[in-house]
mmCIF file of all heavy atoms in Angstrom:
data_model
loop_
_atom_site.group_PDB
_atom_site.id
_atom_site.type_symbol
_atom_site.label_atom_id
_atom_site.label_comp_id
_atom_site.label_asym_id
_atom_site.label_seq_id
_atom_site.Cartn_x
_atom_site.Cartn_y
_atom_site.Cartn_z
ATOM 1 N N SER A 311 -57.880 -31.490 33.537
ATOM 2 C CA SER A 311 -58.488 -32.055 34.723
ATOM 3 C C SER A 311 -58.180 -33.532 34.859
ATOM 4 O O SER A 311 -58.555 -34.143 35.901
ATOM 5 C CB SER A 311 -59.977 -31.865 34.663
ATOM 6 O OG SER A 311 -60.588 -32.656 33.630
ATOM 7 N N LYS A 312 -57.589 -34.200 33.882
ATOM 8 C CA LYS A 312 -57.376 -35.596 33.882
ATOM 9 C C LYS A 312 -56.239 -36.032 34.748
ATOM 10 O O LYS A 312 -55.075 -35.935 34.368
ATOM 11 C CB LYS A 312 -57.164 -36.110 32.431
ATOM 12 C CG LYS A 312 -58.270 -35.783 31.448
ATOM 13 C CD LYS A 312 -59.656 -36.353 31.857
ATOM 14 C CE LYS A 312 -60.700 -36.034 30.834
ATOM 15 N NZ LYS A 312 -62.065 -36.442 31.273
ATOM 16 N N LEU A 313 -56.570 -36.445 35.941
ATOM 17 C CA LEU A 313 -55.555 -36.839 36.912
ATOM 18 C C LEU A 313 -54.617 -37.932 36.420
ATOM 19 O O LEU A 313 -55.042 -38.983 35.940
ATOM 20 C CB LEU A 313 -56.255 -37.275 38.246
ATOM 21 C CG LEU A 313 -56.949 -36.196 39.014
ATOM 22 C CD1 LEU A 313 -57.954 -36.781 39.958
ATOM 23 C CD2 LEU A 313 -55.898 -35.368 39.800
ATOM 24 N N ASN A 314 -53.313 -37.633 36.509
ATOM 25 C CA ASN A 314 -52.303 -38.644 36.204
ATOM 26 C C ASN A 314 -52.364 -39.194 34.798
ATOM 27 O O ASN A 314 -51.888 -40.307 34.553
ATOM 28 C CB ASN A 314 -52.303 -39.786 37.249
ATOM 29 C CG ASN A 314 -52.138 -39.246 38.664
ATOM 30 O OD1 ASN A 314 -51.172 -38.576 38.952
ATOM 31 N ND2 ASN A 314 -53.123 -39.498 39.512
ATOM 32 N N SER A 315 -52.903 -38.402 33.882
ATOM 33 C CA SER A 315 -53.025 -38.842 32.505
ATOM 34 C C SER A 315 -51.708 -38.723 31.717
ATOM 35 O O SER A 315 -51.516 -39.337 30.701
ATOM 36 C CB SER A 315 -54.151 -38.079 31.795
ATOM 37 O OG SER A 315 -53.910 -36.685 31.900
ATOM 38 N N TYR A 316 -50.810 -37.869 32.234
ATOM 39 C CA TYR A 316 -49.471 -37.736 31.647
ATOM 40 C C TYR A 316 -48.495 -37.819 32.796
ATOM 41 O O TYR A 316 -47.987 -36.816 33.308
ATOM 42 C CB TYR A 316 -49.301 -36.379 30.916
ATOM 43 C CG TYR A 316 -50.131 -36.304 29.638
ATOM 44 C CD1 TYR A 316 -51.466 -35.993 29.610
ATOM 45 C CD2 TYR A 316 -49.481 -36.569 28.417
ATOM 46 C CE1 TYR A 316 -52.171 -35.899 28.442
ATOM 47 C CE2 TYR A 316 -50.210 -36.547 27.204
ATOM 48 C CZ TYR A 316 -51.533 -36.171 27.221
ATOM 49 O OH TYR A 316 -52.244 -36.099 26.054
ATOM 50 N N PRO A 317 -48.144 -39.038 33.222
ATOM 51 C CA PRO A 317 -47.318 -39.261 34.448
ATOM 52 C C PRO A 317 -45.849 -39.025 34.213
ATOM 53 O O PRO A 317 -45.010 -39.804 34.660
ATOM 54 C CB PRO A 317 -47.660 -40.681 34.834
ATOM 55 C CG PRO A 317 -47.927 -41.343 33.510
ATOM 56 C CD PRO A 317 -48.633 -40.327 32.680
ATOM 57 N N ALA A 318 -45.512 -37.991 33.515
ATOM 58 C CA ALA A 318 -44.097 -37.623 33.263
ATOM 59 C C ALA A 318 -43.664 -36.617 34.321
ATOM 60 O O ALA A 318 -44.478 -36.097 35.105
ATOM 61 C CB ALA A 318 -43.953 -37.072 31.872
ATOM 62 N N LEU A 319 -42.383 -36.298 34.331
ATOM 63 C CA LEU A 319 -41.841 -35.298 35.282
ATOM 64 C C LEU A 319 -40.971 -34.321 34.574
ATOM 65 O O LEU A 319 -39.704 -34.517 34.475
ATOM 66 C CB LEU A 319 -41.075 -36.024 36.418
ATOM 67 C CG LEU A 319 -40.749 -35.136 37.608
ATOM 68 C CD1 LEU A 319 -42.033 -34.700 38.347
ATOM 69 C CD2 LEU A 319 -39.875 -35.878 38.612
ATOM 70 N N PRO A 320 -41.530 -33.226 34.104
ATOM 71 C CA PRO A 320 -40.681 -32.156 33.503
ATOM 72 C C PRO A 320 -39.828 -31.500 34.548
ATOM 73 O O PRO A 320 -40.273 -31.186 35.667
ATOM 74 C CB PRO A 320 -41.717 -31.143 33.005
ATOM 75 C CG PRO A 320 -42.994 -31.940 32.853
ATOM 76 C CD PRO A 320 -42.952 -32.926 33.983
ATOM 77 N N MET A 321 -38.559 -31.307 34.234
ATOM 78 C CA MET A 321 -37.569 -30.762 35.146
ATOM 79 C C MET A 321 -36.903 -29.551 34.484
ATOM 80 O O MET A 321 -36.566 -29.604 33.314
ATOM 81 C CB MET A 321 -36.577 -31.801 35.563
ATOM 82 C CG MET A 321 -35.463 -31.353 36.479
ATOM 83 S SD MET A 321 -34.478 -32.700 37.082
ATOM 84 C CE MET A 321 -35.515 -33.359 38.410
ATOM 85 N N TYR A 322 -36.704 -28.518 35.262
ATOM 86 C CA TYR A 322 -36.055 -27.285 34.808
ATOM 87 C C TYR A 322 -34.641 -27.277 35.370
ATOM 88 O O TYR A 322 -34.430 -27.298 36.569
ATOM 89 C CB TYR A 322 -36.825 -26.052 35.262
ATOM 90 C CG TYR A 322 -36.207 -24.727 34.943
ATOM 91 C CD1 TYR A 322 -35.809 -24.409 33.614
ATOM 92 C CD2 TYR A 322 -36.045 -23.719 35.926
ATOM 93 C CE1 TYR A 322 -35.254 -23.158 33.295
ATOM 94 C CE2 TYR A 322 -35.502 -22.465 35.628
ATOM 95 C CZ TYR A 322 -35.061 -22.224 34.297
ATOM 96 O OH TYR A 322 -34.549 -20.994 34.004
ATOM 97 N N GLN A 323 -33.673 -27.222 34.436
ATOM 98 C CA GLN A 323 -32.265 -27.278 34.870
ATOM 99 C C GLN A 323 -31.427 -26.615 33.795
ATOM 100 O O GLN A 323 -31.572 -26.848 32.625
ATOM 101 C CB GLN A 323 -31.871 -28.748 35.027
ATOM 102 C CG GLN A 323 -30.477 -29.027 35.526
ATOM 103 C CD GLN A 323 -30.252 -30.497 35.784
ATOM 104 O OE1 GLN A 323 -30.964 -31.128 36.562
ATOM 105 N NE2 GLN A 323 -29.285 -31.085 35.088
ATOM 106 N N ASN A 324 -30.508 -25.756 34.248
ATOM 107 C CA ASN A 324 -29.566 -25.060 33.358
ATOM 108 C C ASN A 324 -30.268 -24.362 32.191
ATOM 109 O O ASN A 324 -29.812 -24.411 31.067
ATOM 110 C CB ASN A 324 -28.539 -26.074 32.785
ATOM 111 C CG ASN A 324 -27.693 -26.685 33.874
ATOM 112 O OD1 ASN A 324 -27.328 -26.026 34.861
ATOM 113 N ND2 ASN A 324 -27.343 -27.974 33.707
ATOM 114 N N GLY A 325 -31.399 -23.761 32.539
ATOM 115 C CA GLY A 325 -32.119 -22.951 31.501
ATOM 116 C C GLY A 325 -33.023 -23.779 30.564
ATOM 117 O O GLY A 325 -33.658 -23.175 29.685
ATOM 118 N N LEU A 326 -33.089 -25.064 30.729
ATOM 119 C CA LEU A 326 -33.910 -25.931 29.855
ATOM 120 C C LEU A 326 -34.922 -26.752 30.692
ATOM 121 O O LEU A 326 -34.623 -27.068 31.842
ATOM 122 C CB LEU A 326 -32.976 -26.903 29.101
ATOM 123 C CG LEU A 326 -31.937 -26.256 28.193
ATOM 124 C CD1 LEU A 326 -31.050 -27.359 27.617
ATOM 125 C CD2 LEU A 326 -32.547 -25.424 27.077
ATOM 126 N N ILE A 327 -36.021 -27.064 30.040
ATOM 127 C CA ILE A 327 -36.968 -27.987 30.620
ATOM 128 C C ILE A 327 -36.980 -29.275 29.786
ATOM 129 O O ILE A 327 -37.200 -29.217 28.565
ATOM 130 C CB ILE A 327 -38.374 -27.393 30.649
ATOM 131 C CG1 ILE A 327 -38.388 -26.059 31.410
ATOM 132 C CG2 ILE A 327 -39.353 -28.388 31.302
ATOM 133 C CD1 ILE A 327 -39.695 -25.307 31.280
ATOM 134 N N LYS A 328 -36.662 -30.388 30.463
ATOM 135 C CA LYS A 328 -36.735 -31.704 29.790
ATOM 136 C C LYS A 328 -37.377 -32.649 30.757
ATOM 137 O O LYS A 328 -37.541 -32.338 31.950
ATOM 138 C CB LYS A 328 -35.327 -32.223 29.407
ATOM 139 C CG LYS A 328 -34.510 -31.293 28.547
ATOM 140 C CD LYS A 328 -33.162 -31.951 28.248
ATOM 141 C CE LYS A 328 -32.254 -31.030 27.438
ATOM 142 N NZ LYS A 328 -30.948 -31.711 27.097
ATOM 143 N N LEU A 329 -37.710 -33.847 30.278
ATOM 144 C CA LEU A 329 -38.148 -34.884 31.192
ATOM 145 C C LEU A 329 -37.008 -35.321 32.080
ATOM 146 O O LEU A 329 -35.846 -35.289 31.629
ATOM 147 C CB LEU A 329 -38.699 -36.077 30.372
ATOM 148 C CG LEU A 329 -39.979 -35.846 29.608
ATOM 149 C CD1 LEU A 329 -40.414 -37.147 28.925
ATOM 150 C CD2 LEU A 329 -41.071 -35.294 30.436
ATOM 151 N N LYS A 330 -37.305 -35.694 33.289
ATOM 152 C CA LYS A 330 -36.280 -36.074 34.246
ATOM 153 C C LYS A 330 -35.400 -37.172 33.675
ATOM 154 O O LYS A 330 -34.172 -37.172 33.861
ATOM 155 C CB LYS A 330 -36.891 -36.526 35.573
ATOM 156 C CG LYS A 330 -35.846 -36.891 36.668
ATOM 157 C CD LYS A 330 -36.563 -37.315 37.928
ATOM 158 C CE LYS A 330 -35.529 -37.610 39.022
ATOM 159 N NZ LYS A 330 -34.670 -38.752 38.637
ATOM 160 N N GLU A 331 -36.024 -38.095 32.948
ATOM 161 C CA GLU A 331 -35.242 -39.224 32.414
ATOM 162 C C GLU A 331 -34.212 -38.729 31.416
ATOM 163 O O GLU A 331 -33.115 -39.362 31.315
ATOM 164 C CB GLU A 331 -36.172 -40.174 31.722
ATOM 165 C CG GLU A 331 -37.105 -40.990 32.636
ATOM 166 C CD GLU A 331 -38.278 -40.215 33.121
ATOM 167 O OE1 GLU A 331 -38.509 -39.039 32.672
ATOM 168 O OE2 GLU A 331 -39.032 -40.727 33.983
ATOM 169 N N ALA A 332 -34.466 -37.665 30.691
ATOM 170 C CA ALA A 332 -33.509 -37.138 29.742
ATOM 171 C C ALA A 332 -32.293 -36.554 30.467
ATOM 172 O O ALA A 332 -31.159 -36.765 30.094
ATOM 173 C CB ALA A 332 -34.165 -36.039 28.887
ATOM 174 N N PHE A 333 -32.577 -35.813 31.581
ATOM 175 C CA PHE A 333 -31.433 -35.273 32.344
ATOM 176 C C PHE A 333 -30.659 -36.414 33.002
ATOM 177 O O PHE A 333 -29.416 -36.384 33.070
ATOM 178 C CB PHE A 333 -31.957 -34.319 33.440
ATOM 179 C CG PHE A 333 -32.321 -32.987 32.946
ATOM 180 C CD1 PHE A 333 -33.560 -32.462 33.066
ATOM 181 C CD2 PHE A 333 -31.356 -32.166 32.362
ATOM 182 C CE1 PHE A 333 -33.913 -31.191 32.607
ATOM 183 C CE2 PHE A 333 -31.633 -30.874 31.865
ATOM 184 C CZ PHE A 333 -32.937 -30.377 32.009
ATOM 185 N N ASP A 334 -31.364 -37.434 33.455
ATOM 186 C CA ASP A 334 -30.658 -38.609 34.058
ATOM 187 C C ASP A 334 -29.725 -39.275 33.084
ATOM 188 O O ASP A 334 -28.625 -39.680 33.417
ATOM 189 C CB ASP A 334 -31.680 -39.581 34.651
ATOM 190 C CG ASP A 334 -32.404 -39.049 35.897
ATOM 191 O OD1 ASP A 334 -31.965 -38.017 36.439
ATOM 192 O OD2 ASP A 334 -33.428 -39.656 36.262
ATOM 193 N N ALA A 335 -30.264 -39.468 31.851
ATOM 194 C CA ALA A 335 -29.488 -40.134 30.802
ATOM 195 C C ALA A 335 -28.233 -39.290 30.432
ATOM 196 O O ALA A 335 -27.154 -39.849 30.260
ATOM 197 C CB ALA A 335 -30.337 -40.351 29.585
ATOM 198 N N GLU A 336 -28.387 -37.964 30.425
ATOM 199 C CA GLU A 336 -27.245 -37.124 30.116
ATOM 200 C C GLU A 336 -26.141 -37.165 31.222
ATOM 201 O O GLU A 336 -24.970 -37.182 30.941
ATOM 202 C CB GLU A 336 -27.729 -35.672 29.956
ATOM 203 C CG GLU A 336 -28.515 -35.428 28.697
ATOM 204 C CD GLU A 336 -29.062 -34.018 28.654
ATOM 205 O OE1 GLU A 336 -28.769 -33.181 29.569
ATOM 206 O OE2 GLU A 336 -29.819 -33.717 27.694
ATOM 207 N N ALA A 337 -26.635 -37.296 32.470
ATOM 208 C CA ALA A 337 -25.710 -37.338 33.602
ATOM 209 C C ALA A 337 -24.921 -38.681 33.508
ATOM 210 O O ALA A 337 -23.737 -38.678 33.807
ATOM 211 C CB ALA A 337 -26.482 -37.297 34.923
#
C-alpha cells in the first residue's frame, strides 16, 4: 500500500524482467 516507496521501473523484454536502467545500459 506504500505509494511510490519503490520508484523503480521493472521492464519485461526478451523474456527477462530487469530495471529499465539495466536495459538502457545494455543498449
Side-chain angles (χ1 to χ4, degrees):
S311 70
K312 303 300 182 186
L313 289 159
N314 302 304
S315 55
Y316 288 85
L319 193 64
M321 177 172 280
Y322 177 51
Q323 184 175 300
N324 299 324
L326 301 175
I327 304 170
K328 303 181 185 183
L329 294 182
K330 183 179 183 297
E331 291 79 5
F333 281 120
D334 289 346
E336 289 175 4

